[in-house]
Amino acid sequence: MAQRYVRSTDGLDSDGGTTWALAKATLTGVAAIDTTTDNIWVSQAHAETTAAAISFAWAGTVGGNQTRVMCASDAAAPPTALATTATVSTTGASNITLTTAAAQYVYFYGIAFQAGSGAVSFGGIVGGSTALTSLAVSSTGGITLTGNVTTSGAQAYTGAVTLGANSTLTTTNSAVTFSSTVNGTSAGSQSLTIAQGSGVVTFSSTVGATVALSSLSIIGSGGITLTGNVTTSGAQTYTGAVTLGGNTTLTTAVAVDSPVEIQE
């Protein structure tokens, strides 16, 4: 298992990210030397920021040997302590794209993604066999999910979300929050399931208004807030208590298993 190190450009000349001292390599460079069992460490003090696009093509593996991307709070090599937050970001309209092979996983710990006006795309499963602690993604250029996302803590999507495939978002009694719209890529072809336990689910805008989802299922016991219209070609299921944060039209066959509360 190789150890790879990533920091912002105040590092020295790159040696491919094999030491902190010379880890001027961007995450794109690290991905190029990635193997299926690498640990990739991002410095909390010098988190990656670049004007260029960041593109991962993960090898990953099923089970305990997946590639891991973790936030480190010290400069030991390898680090002796994990940190809870490091932001991997691009500036301007540069995109962040993360792609895994089918049925393969990448594990992130303490990493938040922010793409400015670029887009963030997850081209596979996130969390997989080992759940992330949390996932925070921010982009004014849009966020694409193309597989399941599993975290023990909260998931926050700040920006318009597009589903590229059927997706299940799972947390351990933690919140799932959408700050903007949620749509499919082909009308009636992508489903969204949210299993949040006792955590709350918040939609701050419409769901399926531009491209309808095939179905929407929120199966945790936590409360659900809808702030805009929801459009699906198939069923909508809301297992927790629903609060309407605005005038809301649900278009499809709807099954509601708990009370609907209108918030004034």
Side-chain angles (χ1 to χ4, degrees):
M1 176 183 292
Q3 308 290 338
R4 308 294 184 188
Y5 303 93
V6 176
R7 59 182 292 182
S8 56
T9 53
D10 52 5
L12 302 176
D13 291 338
S14 172
D15 66 347
T18 57
T19 68
W20 278 124
L22 299 178
K24 192 176 175 180
T26 66
L27 286 165
T28 303
V30 171
I33 56 174
D34 169 34
T35 67
T36 58
T37 57
D38 277 356
N39 285 333
I40 297 177
W41 301 94
V42 178
S43 168
Q44 182 184 43
H46 305 283
E48 171 70 2
T49 301
T50 176
I54 294 175
S55 180
F56 296 137
W58 297 105
T61 57
V62 175
N65 294 322
Q66 68 265 34
T67 298
R68 294 178 291 184
V69 183
M70 295 173 286
C71 174
S73 61
D74 64 68
T80 59
L82 297 176
T84 57
T85 305
T87 300
V88 172
S89 59
T90 61
T91 58
S94 296
N95 297 334
I96 299 176
T97 305
L98 305 98
T99 305
T100 61
Q104 296 181 342
Y105 312 132
V106 176
Y107 168 64
F108 298 101
Y109 184 96
I111 306 294
F113 296 95
Q114 183 172 340
S117 61
V120 179
S121 300
F122 293 91
I125 297 168
V126 179
S129 60
T130 305
L132 283 65
T133 52
S134 63
L135 180 64
V137 186
S138 174
S139 172
T140 60
I143 301 162
T144 300
L145 302 178
T146 317
N148 300 339
V149 179
T150 304
T151 60
S152 57
Q155 297 180 30
Y157 302 94
T158 304
V161 172
T162 300
L163 302 181
N166 297 336
S167 298
T168 297
L169 311 183
T170 303
T171 73
T172 304
N173 302 320
S174 295
V176 179
T177 304
F178 299 91
S179 73
S180 186
T181 57
V182 179
N183 285 286
T185 52
S186 177
S189 298
Q190 290 79 36
S191 65
L192 177 61
T193 300
I194 302 176
Q196 82 284 14
S198 60
V200 298
V201 175
T202 302
F203 292 95
S204 297
S205 187
T206 59
V207 177
T210 303
V211 181
L213 306 186
S214 60
S215 63
L216 174 65
S217 300
I218 305 176
I219 59 178
S221 60
I224 303 159
T225 298
L226 302 177
T227 316
N229 298 340
V230 180
T231 305
T232 59
S233 60
Q236 297 176 28
T237 302
Y238 304 91
T239 303
V242 175
T243 298
L244 301 183
N247 296 332
T248 302
T249 299
L250 308 182
T251 303
T252 193
V254 181
V256 177
D257 295 334
S258 288
V260 175
E261 173 186 352
I262 298 177
Q263 177 177 293
E264 298 182 354

